């Protein structure tokens, strides 16, 4: 909420999103928040379109090619987040440096992130070599396995470039220039379309061409972002004077960024396992879950944009030396994201009877059952949306304050200690599931047989608890004692 007290004499003149009324009382300038967040919302949306581009082009090849992409896609994203996500720390460090008017420190944090992205090269190389063995574990048709490996290897070859691009985007976001990463992402998306057509069909590279198209488009994005970075107020940020690597700084940044990456990776892996379980149950549960997940992403994308703005605003306020104002901004962002996502979820549930049938083939024998189940799931998802917003908005604001290790442990503990096993137990009936016929497990513990409804209820409970503990972590204020170097 807005602070009830007037601004103190000598208050920092550059506090982010600050508006003073006629009596000198401080209020959150929602126009400034919107100006920061809107490009981030659009950027998240374009990135979603970029992810869909490969799917559309590969779908023109064959059903086997699409199946191969589906088999490894989430694991590719998981590897990118797990290895390259450590550069997420750049936004926190840059925002705090910018808020404190330590502009050279901001550019030094970026260069440290870029050097850290080089550390990922051997990790991605190992993942590339492990690809055939990993894909082989899935027990896929041999033809699909070959195609999956064809996509896996060149896609992960671009991992270090993806990490560098995240670092550069985080730098622009940290200094409040959110339109620049929007420009870069737009260029990457358009380039990816052109390269897909040329490599897949023009050069006949097939599935591998789609992966190389994304990798080359990201290389182009890194080049453009580097040019923009060097030209962004060079007298203020002095990027050519701060480029030298400093091993202690790289180590510190990795220690800050790795928990951020682990949190995102745990969420992603849990969601991937959740969706695989529903597909395992049957076509109706799998299709209904996919449709509802697609609808939730419509609320998730703007929520991510506003939450990323929260990372910047909290970091800048802390850098300016005003942690009370950081608390005001973070609390406002958390409320905006959770209420906004919950409201959109409610609208989707109310409009479900009009929207869901558009995504189901009427001539399919499972059409009616899929529509009925999806409509039921949408109401669970509407409540889930609110708590999911509470979950990651709190996480992103804590990230802006540098409080990442305890939140990571909390999310990972709830995800793998509660959500995944509970989802398994509620979704599968006795005689179903992955362990049937493999281990001597009594059938009574193999599940309640609620199908997708059970899976979504477990997801709802997980988000309720994760949102509650992270909000409590934010309000408890341990982040106020954190001092980043």
């Amino acid at each position: 909420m807005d602070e009830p007290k007037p601004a103190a004499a000598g208050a920092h003149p550059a506090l982010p999103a600050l508006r003073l009324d006629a009596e000198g009382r401080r209020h959150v300038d929602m126009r400034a928040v919107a100006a920061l967040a809107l490009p981030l919302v659009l950027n998240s949306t374009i990135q979603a379109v970029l992810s869909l581009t490969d799917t559309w082009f590969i779908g023109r090849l064959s059903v086997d090619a699409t199946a191969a992409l589906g088999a490894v896609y989430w694991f590719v994203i998981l590897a990118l987040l797990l290895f390259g996500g450590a550069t997420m720390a750049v936004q926190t460090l840059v925002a705090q440096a910018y808020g404190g008017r330590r502009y050279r420190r901001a550019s030094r944090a970026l260069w440290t992130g870029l050097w850290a992205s080089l550390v990922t090269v051997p990790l991605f190389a190992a993942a590339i070599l492990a690809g055939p063995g990993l894909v082989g574990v899935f027990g896929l048709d041999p033809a699909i396995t070959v195609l999956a490996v064809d996509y896996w290897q060149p896609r992960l070859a671009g991992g270090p470039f993806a990490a560098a691009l995240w670092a550069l985007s985080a730098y622009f976001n940290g200094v409040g220039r959110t339109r620049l990463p929007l420009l870069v992402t737009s260029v990457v998306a358009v380039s990816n379309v052109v390269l897909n057509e040329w490599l897949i069909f023009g050069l006949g590279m097939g599935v591998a061409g789609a992966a190389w198209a994304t990798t080359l488009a990201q290389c182009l994005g890194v080049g453009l972002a580097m040019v923009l970075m060097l030209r962004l107020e060079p007298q203020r940020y002095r990027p050519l004077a701060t480029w030298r690597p400093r091993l202690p700084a790289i180590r510190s940044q990795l220690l800050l960024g790795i928990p951020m990456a682990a949190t995102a990776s745990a969420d992603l892996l849990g969601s991937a396992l959740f969706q695989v379980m529903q597909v395992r149950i049957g076509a109706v549960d799998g299709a209904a879950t996919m449709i509802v997940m697609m609808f939730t992403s419509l609320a998730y994308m703007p929520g991510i944009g506003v939450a990323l703005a929260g990372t910047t605003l909290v970091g800048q306020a802390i850098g300016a030396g005003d942690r009370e104002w950081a608390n005001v901004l973070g609390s406002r962002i958390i409320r905006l994201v959770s209420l906004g996502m919950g409201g959109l979820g409610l609208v989707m549930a109310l409009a479900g009877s009009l929207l869901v049938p558009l995504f189901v083939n009427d001539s399919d024998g499972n059409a009616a059952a899929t529509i009925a189940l999806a409509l039921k799931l949408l109401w669970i998802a509407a409540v889930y949306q609110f708590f999911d917003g509470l979950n990651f908005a709190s996480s992103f604001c804590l990230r802006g304050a540098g409080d990442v290790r305890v939140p990571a442990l909390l999310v990972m503990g709830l995800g793998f200690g509660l959500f995944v096993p509970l989802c398994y137990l509620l979704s599968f009936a006795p005689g179903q599931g992955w362990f049937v016929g493999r281990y001597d497990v009594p059938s009574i513990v193999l599940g309640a047989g609620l199908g997708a409804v059970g899976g979504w209820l477990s997801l709802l409970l997980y988000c309720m608890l994760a949102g509650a503990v992270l909000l409590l972590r934010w309000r408890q204020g341990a982040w106020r004692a954190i001092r980043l170097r």
Side-chain angles (χ1 to χ4, degrees), residues 3 43 73 119 178 205 236-237 269 284 314 319 354 370 404 464:
E3 288 187 334
N43 193 20
Y73 179 78
V119 177
T178 53
M205 295 176 65
R236 170 184 284 190
Y237 298 106
L269 181 56
V284 171
V314 168
L354 298 176
T370 300
V404 294
M464 289 176 66

Side-chain angles (χ1 to χ4, degrees), residues 106 109 141 152 203 214 231 239 273 299 326 360 422 435 453 456 466:
D141 180 272
W152 172 275
L203 298 183
T214 302
R231 297 183 61 181
L273 292 173
V360 179
L422 183 62
F435 302 109
V453 172
W456 278 91

Side-chain angles (χ1 to χ4, degrees), residues 166-361:
W166 285 340
L168 287 157
S169 296
Y171 171 71
F172 295 133
N173 292 339
V175 300
R177 301 297 289 268
T178 53
R179 294 183 181 182
L180 295 178
L182 175 59
L183 170 62
V184 172
T185 302
S186 300
V187 171
V188 170
V190 173
S191 302
N192 191 44
V193 172
V194 175
L195 289 168
N196 263 300
E197 181 67 31
W198 178 48
L199 296 177
I200 295 175
F201 302 106
L203 298 183
M205 295 176 65
V207 171
W212 280 117
T214 302
T215 293
L216 292 176
Q218 288 177 332
C219 292
L220 179 62
V222 170
L224 174 59
M226 287 294 293
V227 171
L228 294 174
M229 180 271 291
L230 292 173
R231 297 183 61 181
L232 178 62
E233 300 185 66
Q235 295 304 315
R236 170 184 284 190
Y237 298 106
R238 303 291 298 277
L240 295 180
T242 58
W243 64 270
R244 292 177 178 80
R246 294 171 173 80
L247 292 180
I250 294 174
R251 178 180 177 276
S252 298
Q253 193 151 311
L254 287 173
L255 290 176
L256 181 64
I258 287 174
M260 297 181 186
T263 302
S265 299
D267 259 347
L268 180 61
L269 181 56
S271 297
L273 292 173
F274 158 69
Q275 293 192 57
V276 170
M277 289 182 202
Q278 309 318 309
V279 175
R280 171 92 177 191
I281 293 169
V284 171
D285 294 78
T289 292
M290 186 64 196
I291 291 170
V292 175
M293 271 294 185
M294 180 182 61
F295 283 133
T296 63
S297 69
L298 297 177
Y300 179 80
M301 288 305 174
I304 280 289
V306 179
L308 279 169
T311 302
T312 294
L313 292 170
V314 168
Q316 289 183 353
I318 290 175
D322 197 327
R323 292 177 183 265
E324 287 303 318
W325 187 241
N327 182 56
V328 171
L329 290 173
S331 298
R332 175 63 62 87
I333 291 295
I334 292 169
R335 186 162 67 247
L336 280 174
V337 173
S338 57
L339 292 177
M341 287 184 58
L344 285 173
L346 180 60
V347 169
M348 291 174 196
L350 291 171
S353 59
L354 298 176
L355 298 175
V356 172
L358 299 177
F359 296 87
V360 179
N361 186 342

